[in-house]
Short mmCIF file of all heavy atoms in Angstrom, two decimals:
data_model
loop_
_atom_site.label_atom_id
_atom_site.label_comp_id
_atom_site.label_asym_id
_atom_site.label_seq_id
_atom_site.Cartn_x
_atom_site.Cartn_y
_atom_site.Cartn_z
N HIS A 922 110.38 100.94 110.56
CA HIS A 922 109.72 100.04 111.51
C HIS A 922 108.32 100.51 111.85
O HIS A 922 107.54 99.77 112.47
CB HIS A 922 110.55 99.91 112.79
CG HIS A 922 110.62 101.18 113.59
ND1 HIS A 922 111.35 102.28 113.18
CD2 HIS A 922 110.05 101.54 114.77
CE1 HIS A 922 111.22 103.25 114.06
NE2 HIS A 922 110.44 102.82 115.04
N LEU A 923 107.97 101.73 111.44
CA LEU A 923 106.63 102.25 111.66
C LEU A 923 105.73 102.02 110.44
O LEU A 923 104.59 102.51 110.41
CB LEU A 923 106.68 103.74 112.00
CG LEU A 923 107.40 104.08 113.30
CD1 LEU A 923 107.44 105.59 113.53
CD2 LEU A 923 106.74 103.39 114.49
N THR A 924 106.22 101.29 109.44
CA THR A 924 105.40 100.91 108.29
C THR A 924 104.87 99.51 108.56
O THR A 924 105.64 98.57 108.64
CB THR A 924 106.21 100.91 106.98
OG1 THR A 924 106.90 102.15 106.84
CG2 THR A 924 105.28 100.69 105.79
N GLN A 925 103.55 99.39 108.71
CA GLN A 925 102.98 98.09 109.07
C GLN A 925 102.76 97.20 107.87
O GLN A 925 103.27 96.10 107.78
CB GLN A 925 101.67 98.29 109.84
CG GLN A 925 101.36 97.17 110.81
CD GLN A 925 100.35 96.19 110.25
OE1 GLN A 925 100.14 96.10 109.07
NE2 GLN A 925 99.75 95.45 111.14
N SER A 926 101.98 97.68 106.90
CA SER A 926 101.62 96.87 105.74
C SER A 926 101.84 97.65 104.45
O SER A 926 101.60 98.85 104.40
CB SER A 926 100.15 96.43 105.79
OG SER A 926 99.86 95.71 106.96
N ILE A 927 102.28 96.95 103.42
CA ILE A 927 102.32 97.50 102.07
C ILE A 927 101.46 96.60 101.20
O ILE A 927 101.81 95.45 100.93
CB ILE A 927 103.75 97.58 101.50
CG1 ILE A 927 104.63 98.48 102.38
CG2 ILE A 927 103.72 98.10 100.07
CD1 ILE A 927 106.06 98.60 101.89
N GLY A 928 100.30 97.12 100.79
CA GLY A 928 99.45 96.39 99.87
C GLY A 928 100.08 96.41 98.48
O GLY A 928 100.57 97.45 98.04
N VAL A 929 100.09 95.28 97.80
CA VAL A 929 100.84 95.19 96.56
C VAL A 929 99.99 94.67 95.40
O VAL A 929 99.11 93.84 95.57
CB VAL A 929 102.08 94.28 96.72
CG1 VAL A 929 103.08 94.91 97.67
CG2 VAL A 929 101.68 92.89 97.21
N ALA A 930 100.28 95.21 94.23
CA ALA A 930 99.82 94.66 92.96
C ALA A 930 101.07 94.58 92.09
O ALA A 930 101.43 95.51 91.38
CB ALA A 930 98.75 95.55 92.32
N MET A 931 101.78 93.45 92.22
CA MET A 931 103.05 93.21 91.54
C MET A 931 103.11 91.77 91.08
O MET A 931 102.41 90.91 91.62
CB MET A 931 104.25 93.44 92.48
CG MET A 931 104.37 94.77 93.14
SD MET A 931 105.86 94.80 94.19
CE MET A 931 105.70 96.42 94.93
N ASP A 932 104.00 91.48 90.13
CA ASP A 932 104.23 90.08 89.80
C ASP A 932 105.10 89.46 90.89
O ASP A 932 105.75 90.15 91.67
CB ASP A 932 104.84 89.90 88.41
CG ASP A 932 106.27 90.41 88.31
OD1 ASP A 932 107.10 90.06 89.18
OD2 ASP A 932 106.57 91.15 87.35
N GLU A 933 105.09 88.13 90.95
CA GLU A 933 105.70 87.44 92.09
C GLU A 933 107.18 87.71 92.23
O GLU A 933 107.67 87.97 93.34
CB GLU A 933 105.45 85.93 91.96
CG GLU A 933 105.93 85.14 93.17
CD GLU A 933 105.55 83.68 93.10
OE1 GLU A 933 104.62 83.33 92.34
OE2 GLU A 933 106.19 82.88 93.81
N ASP A 934 107.93 87.66 91.14
CA ASP A 934 109.38 87.87 91.22
C ASP A 934 109.70 89.27 91.73
O ASP A 934 110.58 89.47 92.57
CB ASP A 934 110.03 87.64 89.86
CG ASP A 934 110.03 86.19 89.45
OD1 ASP A 934 109.90 85.32 90.34
OD2 ASP A 934 110.15 85.90 88.23
N SER A 935 108.98 90.24 91.19
CA SER A 935 109.20 91.63 91.62
C SER A 935 108.84 91.79 93.09
O SER A 935 109.55 92.47 93.84
CB SER A 935 108.36 92.55 90.74
OG SER A 935 108.52 93.90 91.13
N LEU A 936 107.75 91.17 93.51
CA LEU A 936 107.30 91.27 94.90
C LEU A 936 108.33 90.67 95.86
O LEU A 936 108.64 91.26 96.90
CB LEU A 936 105.95 90.57 95.07
CG LEU A 936 105.45 90.40 96.51
CD1 LEU A 936 105.32 91.74 97.21
CD2 LEU A 936 104.12 89.67 96.52
N LEU A 937 108.85 89.50 95.54
CA LEU A 937 109.80 88.84 96.43
C LEU A 937 111.04 89.70 96.64
O LEU A 937 111.54 89.83 97.76
CB LEU A 937 110.19 87.47 95.87
CG LEU A 937 109.07 86.41 95.90
CD1 LEU A 937 109.53 85.14 95.18
CD2 LEU A 937 108.66 86.10 97.33
N ASP A 938 111.53 90.31 95.58
CA ASP A 938 112.71 91.16 95.70
C ASP A 938 112.38 92.42 96.51
O ASP A 938 113.13 92.81 97.42
CB ASP A 938 113.20 91.55 94.31
CG ASP A 938 114.41 92.48 94.37
OD1 ASP A 938 115.48 92.02 94.84
OD2 ASP A 938 114.29 93.65 93.96
N PHE A 939 111.23 93.03 96.21
CA PHE A 939 110.82 94.23 96.92
C PHE A 939 110.59 93.95 98.40
O PHE A 939 111.01 94.71 99.28
CB PHE A 939 109.55 94.79 96.28
CG PHE A 939 108.96 95.96 97.00
CD1 PHE A 939 109.53 97.22 96.92
CD2 PHE A 939 107.80 95.81 97.77
CE1 PHE A 939 108.98 98.31 97.59
CE2 PHE A 939 107.25 96.88 98.44
CZ PHE A 939 107.83 98.13 98.35
N ALA A 940 109.93 92.82 98.70
CA ALA A 940 109.59 92.49 100.08
C ALA A 940 110.84 92.26 100.93
O ALA A 940 110.90 92.66 102.09
CB ALA A 940 108.69 91.26 100.12
N ARG A 941 111.83 91.62 100.37
CA ARG A 941 113.07 91.39 101.13
C ARG A 941 113.73 92.71 101.49
O ARG A 941 114.24 92.89 102.59
CB ARG A 941 114.03 90.50 100.33
CG ARG A 941 113.66 89.02 100.34
CD ARG A 941 114.73 88.17 99.69
NE ARG A 941 116.02 88.28 100.36
CZ ARG A 941 116.36 87.59 101.45
NH1 ARG A 941 115.50 86.76 102.01
NH2 ARG A 941 117.55 87.73 101.99
N GLN A 942 113.72 93.64 100.56
CA GLN A 942 114.36 94.93 100.83
C GLN A 942 113.53 95.77 101.81
O GLN A 942 114.09 96.47 102.66
CB GLN A 942 114.52 95.71 99.51
CG GLN A 942 115.49 95.05 98.53
CD GLN A 942 115.67 95.88 97.28
OE1 GLN A 942 116.23 96.98 97.32
NE2 GLN A 942 115.21 95.36 96.15
N ALA A 943 112.20 95.68 101.68
CA ALA A 943 111.35 96.46 102.58
C ALA A 943 111.33 95.87 103.98
O ALA A 943 111.23 96.59 104.97
CB ALA A 943 109.93 96.53 102.01
N ALA A 944 111.43 94.53 104.07
CA ALA A 944 111.39 93.87 105.37
C ALA A 944 112.58 94.29 106.24
O ALA A 944 112.44 94.50 107.44
CB ALA A 944 111.37 92.36 105.20
N ILE A 945 113.74 94.43 105.61
CA ILE A 945 114.93 94.83 106.37
C ILE A 945 114.80 96.27 106.86
O ILE A 945 115.44 96.67 107.84
CB ILE A 945 116.22 94.64 105.53
CG1 ILE A 945 117.44 94.58 106.44
CG2 ILE A 945 116.37 95.72 104.50
CD1 ILE A 945 117.51 93.38 107.33
N LYS A 946 113.91 97.03 106.23
CA LYS A 946 113.64 98.40 106.69
C LYS A 946 112.67 98.41 107.87
O LYS A 946 112.54 99.42 108.56
CB LYS A 946 113.01 99.21 105.55
CG LYS A 946 113.90 99.41 104.34
CD LYS A 946 114.74 100.64 104.48
CE LYS A 946 115.45 100.96 103.19
NZ LYS A 946 116.22 102.23 103.29
N GLY A 947 111.96 97.27 108.06
CA GLY A 947 111.06 97.18 109.21
C GLY A 947 109.61 96.85 108.87
O GLY A 947 108.79 96.72 109.77
N VAL A 948 109.26 96.69 107.58
CA VAL A 948 107.88 96.45 107.18
C VAL A 948 107.46 95.02 107.58
O VAL A 948 108.23 94.08 107.44
CB VAL A 948 107.69 96.65 105.66
CG1 VAL A 948 106.23 96.46 105.27
CG2 VAL A 948 108.17 98.05 105.26
#
């Protein structure tokens, strides 16, 4: 929950999967 932003250079499918997992961690 102390991670504010993750700047990304990923393809869209990979990003969507990563973002869902990171969001539940608090990002």
Side-chain angles (χ1 to χ4, degrees):
H922 67 289
L923 296 178
T924 309
Q925 208 260 21
S926 302
I927 299 180
V929 293
M931 303 180 184
D932 69 49
E933 185 174 340
D934 290 339
S935 179
L936 171 58
L937 290 174
D938 179 66
F939 174 75
R941 283 187 60 83
Q942 295 183 67
I945 199 67
K946 296 271 189 177
V948 183

